[in-house]
Amino acid sequence: NPMLALSSELIGKGHHVRFLVVTPANIENIKNSKKEFEEGKDYSFARMWTEEDVASFSQHPREWFKGIVPEYEDQSEAERKSSDFLMWRFHEGVRAVPMYLEELGTFKCDLLITDPMVAGGPIAATLLGIPVVSVVTFPQFGMFPLWLGADTDEEREAAFDNFRRAGVVAEANDVLIDEYGFDFFENFLPSHMLGDTWLNLCTGVREFDVEMPRLAKKIFGENIAESCHYVGPMVLTKEQGHLSRTAVIMDGTSPTPSPPFPFHRVQKFKEGGRKVVYI
């Protein structure tokens, strides 16, 4: 997890890192990666969950959607053309904005480092004028969950329009407009939060980069690429925060480490006009 290694580097440079966690599941992982540091002095936690949240985490994801995303037979055409998971995430992101506003306002942080799939924190930071670093772990900046399977600008724009018109999404966005005078869809794209005044980092590699879609540039700004920087490939040790469930070979030995990825060959193929397929 890049957050674990990045936070350790920041603490080592004298910064206090506060983790805004929405589930108790990650507390131990964070503590295990910070054994050389002292909780409270070097880092701390904001535990932003309820008992109801904890109970829901053990349920099947379909159960999370109940009461928020309508059943398929009750959905509008726009909802049926949108991902239940992304609609639910958007709703939950907006629901969390007041919690993030309170926590960020109380802690007086100088910078928010965020997963781009999470909306509540970046929205709150934007409203408070706090600088944001978005850490993208997709293969490239141009990969958007909303547009998986959409190959043309027209298809992407149709998917975007359906999503913003979906009942549960439109209602959540109306809350942002009514409460904060902030229209999400004039500033961001769901589940891939980037900003042209942010520092946007991607743990992928530039060799897999694709051009930012037309609508993304319209929303983020034509110069969005200037704030996007590749920092991969990310290779971490277990101590730095690498979490792996690599299988053990039948004789009990560990698999032989993979050789370095041949990035030079990928670059050569791209320069020659060949298509590169990432699997």
Side-chain angles (χ1 to χ4, degrees), residues 74-82 162 165-166:
D74 298 323
Q75 291 182 1
S76 66
E77 181 180 359
E79 288 170 328
R80 290 183 177 184
K81 291 182 177 179
S82 301
N162 283 321
R165 289 190 299 108

Side-chain angles (χ1 to χ4, degrees), residues 1-277:
N1 188 314
M3 292 294 189
L4 300 181
L6 180 56
S7 58
S8 292
E9 288 288 322
L10 289 171
I11 296 170
K13 293 180 183 295
H15 300 283
H16 182 96
V17 175
R18 187 162 178 80
F19 294 93
L20 311 184
V21 286
V22 296
T23 166
N26 288 323
I27 297 289
E28 284 307 310
N29 288 334
I30 294 172
K31 288 185 176 181
N32 288 338
S33 73
K34 303 289 178 285
K35 291 180 179 178
E36 70 271 37
F37 303 115
E38 181 182 341
E39 182 180 353
K41 174 178 175 290
D42 300 315
Y43 69 94
S44 57
F45 295 100
R47 293 168 168 82
M48 302 171 61
W49 67 78
T50 64
E51 292 303 316
E52 291 78 10
D53 293 332
V54 175
S56 71
F57 294 145
S58 63
Q59 298 175 333
H60 188 280
R62 289 298 315 176
E63 296 296 315
W64 302 347
F65 307 155
K66 286 188 175 179
I68 298 174
V69 179
E71 295 292 338
Y72 183 80
E73 57 269 20
D74 298 323
Q75 291 182 1
S76 66
E77 181 180 359
E79 288 170 328
R80 290 183 177 184
K81 291 182 177 179
S82 301
S83 161
D84 285 359
F85 177 72
L86 293 184
M87 290 190 289
W88 171 78
R89 283 209 71 121
F90 184 80
H91 174 277
E92 291 298 277
V94 173
R95 183 177 71 89
V97 168
M99 292 188 292
Y100 280 105
L101 284 171
E102 181 178 359
E103 179 58 37
L104 293 175
T106 300
F107 185 62
K108 306 295 184 184
C109 70
D110 299 308
L111 176 73
L112 176 72
I113 303 174
T114 184
D115 183 317
M117 288 285 288
V118 178
I123 293 173
T126 299
L127 294 174
L128 294 172
I130 296 172
V132 176
V133 175
S134 181
V135 182
V136 178
T137 55
F138 298 137
Q140 73 268 139
F141 284 109
M143 179 180 175
F144 293 81
L146 180 65
W147 291 333
L148 294 178
D151 298 321
T152 67
D153 284 322
E154 290 72 24
E155 289 175 335
R156 297 184 189 104
E157 288 164 13
F160 175 79
D161 186 55
N162 283 321
F163 188 82
R164 72 184 302 183
R165 289 190 299 108
V168 62
V169 172
E171 290 170 9
N173 194 48
D174 284 343
V175 170
L176 291 177
I177 295 172
D178 294 340
E179 294 292 328
Y180 310 109
F182 183 83
D183 188 331
F184 179 91
F185 296 102
E186 290 184 358
N187 297 273
F188 299 118
L189 284 165
S191 297
H192 197 54
M193 306 282 285
L194 303 175
D196 64 348
T197 61
W198 297 2
L199 174 59
N200 305 296
L201 305 177
C202 180
T203 57
V205 291
R206 185 170 297 281
E207 285 80 0
F208 293 130
D209 192 30
V210 294
E211 184 177 359
M212 198 70 77
R214 180 174 67 193
L215 183 56
K217 289 192 286 188
K218 179 180 178 181
I219 293 173
F220 295 140
E222 290 294 328
N223 297 322
I224 182 63
E226 295 178 7
S227 63
C228 294
H229 305 275
Y230 283 94
V231 295
M234 185 184 71
V235 181
L236 301 177
T237 64
K238 184 176 181 180
E239 292 70 27
Q240 290 174 315
H242 177 67
L243 303 178
S244 175
R245 298 186 182 275
T246 304
V248 175
I249 299 175
M250 292 297 289
D251 63 4
T253 61
S254 297
T256 303
S258 301
F261 190 86
F263 294 108
H264 62 286
R265 293 181 60 196
V266 175
Q267 186 60 37
K268 178 182 177 181
F269 292 153
K270 288 189 71 175
E271 291 173 353
R274 296 174 64 174
K275 290 185 177 180
V276 177
V277 179

